[in-house]
Amino acid sequence: QVQLVGSGGGVVQAGGSLRLSCAASGSIFRFNTMAWYRQAPGKPRELVAAMTSGGNTNYADSEKGRFTISRDNAKNTVYLQMNSLKPEDTAVYYCNYRPDSSLRDYWGQGTQVTVSS
């Protein structure tokens, strides 16, 4: 079993920054993808950024250039540095873990990010 604990959300003004963290514990496979998703009220959950254990990244176009995903594989932790935040970034942000050898996903509890105008 894998447990993900996300943190770092909060309330910031437009143009501000936040850094989200998510630590995974349990039966962690070396080869995996960790990612951040978000879900705003009334909208489906969407991918924000993802990063493989090998260092490959994928960003949604709207976040590219503002957000940066990074990993500390030794700590089984993924980060999301969010700069130049906009009100439309307001959402619950969820971290996600998926072993490369499996289609099964593990999800964190979600952390609220609110950006005021």
Side-chain angles (χ1 to χ4, degrees):
Q1 295 294 322
V2 175
Q3 183 177 10
L4 302 174
V5 179
S7 62
V11 180
V12 297
Q13 292 183 315
S17 299
L18 284 173
R19 191 177 80 147
L20 307 182
S21 300
C22 181
S25 61
S27 300
I28 305 300
F29 290 84
R30 177 181 178 185
F31 301 107
N32 61 74
T33 298
M34 299 188 75
W36 289 97
Y37 290 75
R38 68 185 181 189
Q39 187 168 23
K43 295 184 178 180
R45 189 172 298 185
E46 64 178 358
L47 175 70
V48 178
M51 190 172 189
T52 69
S53 50
N56 294 322
T57 59
N58 183 42
Y59 293 92
D61 287 342
S62 61
E63 284 73 50
K64 193 174 184 179
R66 298 189 299 121
F67 292 5
T68 303
I69 190 169
S70 61
R71 295 179 57 141
D72 185 336
N73 290 339
K75 297 181 179 179
N76 295 317
T77 300
V78 63
Y79 306 92
L80 185 68
Q81 179 67 47
M82 303 185 292
N83 299 323
S84 301
L85 283 163
K86 304 174 182 179
E88 52 263 41
D89 295 319
T90 296
V92 177
Y93 284 70
Y94 299 89
C95 63
N96 173 273
Y97 162 85
R98 176 181 289 185
D100 289 352
S101 60
S102 177
L103 295 177
R104 183 176 181 179
D105 290 285
Y106 296 86
W107 293 92
Q109 82 282 8
T111 183
Q112 177 70 47
V113 172
T114 301
V115 184
S116 61
S117 59

